[in-house]
Structure formats: structure tokens, C-alpha cells
Amino acid sequence: MSMLKTPSAKYSAFPQIDLPDRQWPTRTITAPPRWLSTDLRDGNQSIIDPMDAHKKNRFFDLLLEVGVKEIEVGFPSAGETEFDFISSLVKSDRVPDDVMVQVLTQSREDLIRTSFASLEGAGAAIVHLYNAVSPAWRDIVFGMSRDEVREIAVAGAKVMRDEAGKQPNTDWHFQYSPETFSTAEIDFSIEVCAAVMEVLAPTPDHPIILNLPATVEAATPNIYADQIEYFIRNLPGRESAVISLHTHNDRGTGVAAAELALMAGADRVEGCLFGNGERTGNCCLVTMALNMYTQGVNPGLDFSDIDRVIETVEYCNELPVHQRHPYGGELVYTAFSGSHQDAIKKGFSAHQTQNDEQWRVPYLPIDPADLGRNYEAVIRVNSQSGKGGFAWVLEQDQGLKLPKRMQADFAPHVQAMADELGRELEAPDIWNAFRAAYHVQTDEKHFQLVDYQERRASDGTRLFTGTIAVQGKEQNVSGRGNGLISSVLTTIEEAFGLNLQVADYSEHALGTGRDARAAAYLECKTPDGGTIWGVGIDEDVATASVRSVLSAANSAVRQ
């Protein structure tokens, strides 16, 4: 309880940005940003056991396959392992011509020199310089004035300029981050960035990358967007700068902050696949890219086989992707709730029958098939599920399209099984329950079809003759009716005393092609007004209808 009494004394609200004519709220994202993956740097330094060279190479290959064109591959001055990995990428010619690798360095001369050395021989590369500029770091960590902090950035920029001049065959790109930008005085961040630009002399054709990190997410996303718009408006030489974002997720809004900051005019987004990174992680590139995809914007990143991406990320990071993680989680396209399942089932049906190019399926903001997921896992059944759940599973697993009233008839069987087992029901569970309830493809039946023939009599009626095993003993039977089903019902009544009247009948093919089987559903009324369902499945549609009559008869006997 003591925590609830003290926040107003211990913490204070983050100050607003003075930007009364802000423009970003009226804008939309219509094109993708430049993407930079920092999985091999920020992501790697945040995991318990950093990746070895094998895992780093595997992750690097994945990023290339996904389509990332700028990759921060490490912190070369951190140690020999980092340096050797970065150098090997360059020397083994593993970096495609359309991809730039990036390295990070603090603003210290020896570390900057090491960073350039690790990239020797590269065709093009980005060197990323940073130093913290916010008051907490100036006062508490460094004990420095504004002038001293600005001079650290300027001195580092000069070393970068000189080191690049020693390797003229590489197309060098410079990036500067006023680290802790999100909690710094914005005018001071602009002042420091302008001083760095003065040293490096960027041009519109060869701009500097100014990365404005929410090193610690300390405010709502709209304030970060205000900071970005204010920075862009007031930066001298804006046309010679690429504005980059690096949001963290301390408040759980890293993606939202990056999206709003793009609307505020930023050009580039840094992050990690599935949001790995220090503390609560970085902006999730998967989420942000697929958010764009669902708005009709091609993000330029390919997640059409998202399960393979997850497999590689989990292997390399040794961290699981949460089951509810947007787009990638195991359960994000899964519905257990009966009302959700019904809406999804109807949505899929409408999408298929109307052949609508626009994706409009309730509860599914994206088509799982676009990410390589199948529809079988969309609806799963437990004790909270309704008729739509098991009906969908039977349709996807067995091809059965149960009539609505039959779904209601089968629902108590599924509910009883779910309550008894106390777990999620899998497709085989539901299929076995269905077979038992309607005597489909089971050995133990009261009535079992052995053989039959049907022919048209001279008066136009149909004559059914056949052999039916009754509790294992074969018996020859026959009956006459207006059609095949009525002749079988007459046979059942005359031979075994069961009076069943047809209330409804439907059938459909199971699959396509010459070898497609058929399913027949028969709703019957009993003399006391009850309802009994029968189901028949066979390669021949006529035989399927005969089996549906015997299925209903078996249910009548068991009542």
C-alpha cells in the first residue's frame, strides 16, 4: 500500500513540447521507412548468453532473406569476438552490394579507430557515433557541462572524418546519436547535432544519419512525435540529414512511438525482430512492418514464412517469442471463445463465397496465409468454445460442413468431452466424438450396411434390396419408396419397427476430383416428436445417403 501513497512526491509528469501547430496528427504512413536491424548489436548485448559466430552468421543470413538493407552488426571495440565477426563479414564478401553494415562506437578516439579498422575493405558502411546528452547523464554519470558534452560529440566527429579519409575506397556513411535524446532538452540536442554536422559536412546527396533514440521511454508516444517534429523543423540543414528512430519499450509503447514519429517526418527506423533489446526491448520490426502491411502499405520486408523467422530468432537469442506477440505468436490467430469462433467462421465463409479482394474477416486483422500460417489453427476448441469452433475444426480436418441444426445436436457431446478432459480438444478428439455420436466409420453398430441394390419399379417407385447386419448377424431386407432414402426408411420400419420421418437432407462432396467422397446429413423426426441425426460418408453419394439412414437408425436404437 505504501507505493500508492508516494508517486506524486517521487515522480513528475514529463513536460509537454511547445508545438501548438503540430502537423503529425493529421498525417498517415503511406510509404515504408528505411529499416535498420540492430539485432546483432542491441539485441545481442541484451541476451543472457551472447550469440557466438555461428548464431550471428545465421541471424545475418535471416535478415538478408527478410530484406533488411541496413544491419548494425556489432560493437567492434567491445572485444575480439565482436571485431573478428565484423571483419569476417567484410573480408569473406558476405555483404551484398545493396546492403550496408553498421557498427556502433562511443565518442572516444581509440574506439572509433577500432571501429573503422573492423570495416577495412568494405564497399560501403555506416559508422555510428554516440554520446549521452541529457541532464541526468551530464550531472550524475559524467559531471560535465553542456559545453563539455557537446565537445565530446564534436571531437568524435573529427576522428570519424579523419579515419574515413584514410580509407577512400569505402563509401563511408556517418550516423550520430545524441543518446538519451528522449529525456534531454530538445534545443540542446539540436545544438549538438548541428555541431556534428558542421564537422562532417553532409550534403543532400550524401546525408548524415541523425538517430534520435528514446533511450529510455519516459513519456507517451505523442510527446516523442512532438520531439521529432520540433527537431526536424528547427534543425539547420535538415535536407542533409536522415532522421532515424530508435525507440525502447519501457512504457510498452515503443512501436506506437515509432509510428507517430514517422508521421512526424522521420525517415528511418531501428529495431529488432520481435522487439528484443535492453530492458523491455526495442521497437519490434515485425510488428511495425506488418502494421503497415495491414494498412495497404508494402513495408519492403518479407515475413511470408513467419514461423521460419521465429524458429531462427528463438534459436539465436535463446528467448521465446511470446504466444500472444503481435502477428508472430502461436495463439494470435486462434479463437477459443464461441462468439469469436462463430464470427470468424462466417467471415471466412463470406470471403470465399463473395470472392472479395478486400480482407474482412472478424477478429483477424491480417490473413494468416499471408504469413505462411494455415487456417486449421485459427479456431481451437476448449470448454469455452461454441458450435462454430468444432464445426470449423471438422470442416478443416475432415471436410465436413455440418448443417446448423446438426451443430446444435453435436454440441453437448463436445462440451461433455471438454469438461471431462479439462483441456483443449484437438482435431482427433473431436473427430472421434463425432464418429461415436453418429456411428460413422465405427465397427460396433447395431445396424451395419453389408450390401445393397436399388432399382426403379414399373410404377416409378424405388425398390431397395440389401443385406444389413443386425448386431453382427446378416439379414436380407427390402422396401419400396418414392426415392432411395424413403425406400431405405420403409425397409427399416418394416424390418425392424423403427418409424423415422425425414425432416431435412443435405449432401456435399468431400474434396474435388473424380475420387472425391461424399457426405450426407439426414435429420429425422421420431413418433414422439424428437429429432435424430444421421451421417453417411462414402465414395458414392447414393451409398452415403443409405449410410445416413442407418446412422439415424442406430441413434434411434440407442436412445
Side-chain angles (χ1 to χ4, degrees):
M1 293 297 294
S2 60
M3 187 187 81
L4 300 179
K5 298 177 181 178
T6 60
S8 61
K10 190 172 184 179
Y11 303 99
S12 58
F14 197 88
Q16 297 283 325
I17 304 299
D18 184 15
L19 196 67
D21 60 339
R22 58 182 58 83
Q23 299 299 306
W24 65 262
T26 64
R27 298 172 183 162
T28 57
I29 298 172
T30 59
R34 288 169 54 173
W35 301 104
L36 176 122
S37 161
T38 187
D39 287 275
L40 297 176
R41 198 278 301 169
D42 199 338
N44 186 52
Q45 73 185 41
S46 69
I47 56 181
I48 298 172
D49 296 313
M51 288 180 271
D52 58 18
H54 166 72
K55 288 182 177 179
K56 278 197 163 190
N57 277 289
R58 181 168 172 177
F59 211 126
F60 182 79
D61 289 339
L62 173 67
L63 294 170
L64 296 181
E65 292 172 18
V66 167
V68 181
K69 300 302 182 183
E70 299 177 41
I71 304 172
E72 192 166 63
V73 291
F75 204 143
S77 59
E80 187 176 348
T81 300
E82 287 279 277
F83 185 98
D84 290 345
F85 167 71
I86 296 164
S87 180
S88 69
L89 282 179
V90 174
K91 292 179 179 178
S92 61
D93 202 27
R94 294 197 59 232
V95 183
D97 292 339
D98 63 342
V99 172
M100 281 197 297
V101 293
Q102 173 174 305
V103 297
L104 179 69
T105 177
Q106 293 171 304
S107 188
R108 280 176 38 191
E109 181 174 353
D110 57 329
L111 306 184
I112 297 170
R113 293 184 189 281
T114 299
S115 299
F116 275 88
S118 72
L119 295 169
E120 184 177 357
I126 305 169
V127 178
H128 178 189
L129 178 77
Y130 77 94
N131 68 302
V133 299
S134 68
W137 269 257
R138 294 196 313 261
D139 300 340
I140 300 171
V141 180
F142 305 130
M144 290 183 174
S145 66
R146 282 190 177 198
D147 290 343
E148 289 171 318
V149 167
R150 184 182 62 253
E151 182 54 35
I152 290 175
V154 169
K158 291 177 179 178
V159 178
M160 288 176 67
R161 178 195 60 195
D162 296 343
E163 288 299 307
K166 297 175 184 177
Q167 298 186 48
N169 293 329
T170 297
D171 180 17
W172 293 107
H173 295 255
F174 301 128
Q175 175 169 327
Y176 173 68
S177 290
E179 193 196 5
T180 64
F181 167 84
S182 55
T183 52
E185 307 94 334
I186 193 164
D187 288 324
F188 182 56
S189 294
I190 294 172
E191 178 185 330
V192 175
C193 289
V196 169
M197 292 175 69
E198 188 174 344
V199 172
L200 297 175
T203 66
D205 293 332
H206 203 86
I208 188 174
I209 301 169
L210 295 178
N211 187 54
L212 307 178
T215 306
V216 177
E217 190 178 34
T220 49
N222 60 297
I223 290 182
Y224 184 64
D226 281 350
Q227 290 174 321
I228 299 301
E229 184 170 337
Y230 184 99
F231 183 96
I232 289 172
R233 287 193 194 184
N234 293 280
L235 176 72
R238 162 65 176 103
E239 68 280 359
S240 298
V242 171
I243 305 303
S244 184
L245 311 170
H246 185 117
T247 56
H248 279 255
N249 205 40
D250 301 270
R251 292 172 55 93
T253 56
V255 169
E259 288 181 326
L260 299 190
L262 274 187
M263 293 159 59
D267 310 296
R268 184 175 182 260
V269 172
E270 297 190 1
C272 292
L273 301 186
F274 299 107
N276 186 34
E278 291 284 8
R279 301 182 311 282
T280 55
N282 292 321
C283 172
C284 173
L285 297 186
V286 175
T287 300
M288 190 157 179
L290 292 177
N291 281 353
M292 293 182 188
Y293 185 82
T294 65
Q295 303 304 302
V297 177
N298 186 342
L301 299 179
D302 183 4
F303 295 113
S304 58
D305 189 358
I306 200 164
D307 287 332
R308 183 172 178 276
V309 175
I310 291 171
E311 179 185 1
T312 300
V313 171
E314 289 185 331
Y315 169 76
C316 293
N317 287 342
E318 296 186 29
L319 292 172
V321 172
H322 195 278
Q323 291 178 322
R324 298 293 181 187
H325 192 100
Y327 300 109
E330 180 184 350
L331 297 177
V332 295
Y333 307 112
T334 298
F336 292 101
S337 162
S339 60
H340 288 207
Q341 292 173 344
D342 181 65
I344 291 170
K345 184 173 181 290
K346 290 176 179 176
F348 270 112
S349 177
H351 185 72
Q352 293 167 358
T353 57
Q354 297 173 9
N355 197 26
D356 191 351
E357 290 186 2
Q358 288 291 309
W359 178 254
R360 295 190 307 153
V361 175
Y363 295 112
L364 295 179
I366 193 171
D367 185 349
D370 288 350
L371 305 182
R373 293 274 175 90
N374 59 43
Y375 295 141
E376 282 79 354
V378 169
I379 291 177
R380 289 159 63 172
V381 178
N382 61 16
S383 60
Q384 301 298 309
S385 305
K387 299 185 294 295
F390 65 73
W392 168 269
V393 171
L394 284 174
E395 181 174 345
Q396 298 299 307
D397 188 54
Q398 299 294 328
L400 298 175
K401 300 177 182 179
L402 273 57
K404 286 187 177 180
R405 289 195 298 274
M406 188 178 187
Q407 294 177 26
D409 185 80
F410 183 46
H413 298 271
V414 178
Q415 187 66 48
M417 175 181 286
D419 291 339
E420 178 183 354
L421 296 179
R423 62 169 173 79
E424 177 190 348
L425 299 185
E426 299 178 355
D429 297 323
I430 297 170
W431 173 231
N432 289 334
F434 184 83
R435 291 171 57 213
Y438 301 106
H439 321 285
V440 177
Q441 298 178 1
T442 58
D443 295 331
E444 295 183 5
K445 300 178 184 177
H446 188 86
F447 300 114
Q448 179 80 41
L449 179 66
V450 178
D451 193 14
Y452 81 97
Q453 291 182 338
E454 181 217 8
R455 61 184 177 85
R456 185 183 297 273
S458 59
D459 61 357
T461 59
R462 297 296 181 96
L463 181 64
F464 173 87
T465 59
T467 302
I468 295 177
V470 182
Q471 292 185 327
K473 185 177 180 179
E474 294 185 1
Q475 182 174 333
N476 295 323
V477 294
S478 64
R480 187 185 297 270
N482 293 329
L484 175 58
I485 291 177
S486 63
S487 66
V488 180
L489 286 170
T490 300
T491 300
I492 294 297
E493 182 176 10
E494 293 176 351
F496 309 115
L498 291 177
N499 182 7
L500 300 175
Q501 300 296 319
V502 175
D504 192 25
Y505 172 82
S506 62
E507 62 186 39
H508 66 81
L510 295 173
T512 59
R514 294 183 177 180
D515 297 328
R517 297 180 301 156
Y521 310 97
L522 182 67
E523 182 182 9
C524 295
K525 294 296 184 181
T526 61
D528 61 1
T531 299
I532 289 177
W533 281 89
V535 182
I537 299 174
D538 199 87
E539 286 75 11
D540 173 67
V541 65
T543 304
S545 63
V546 173
R547 294 189 185 281
S548 72
V549 176
L550 293 179
S551 169
N554 280 315
S555 294
V557 170
R558 298 256 176 112
Q559 281 191 338

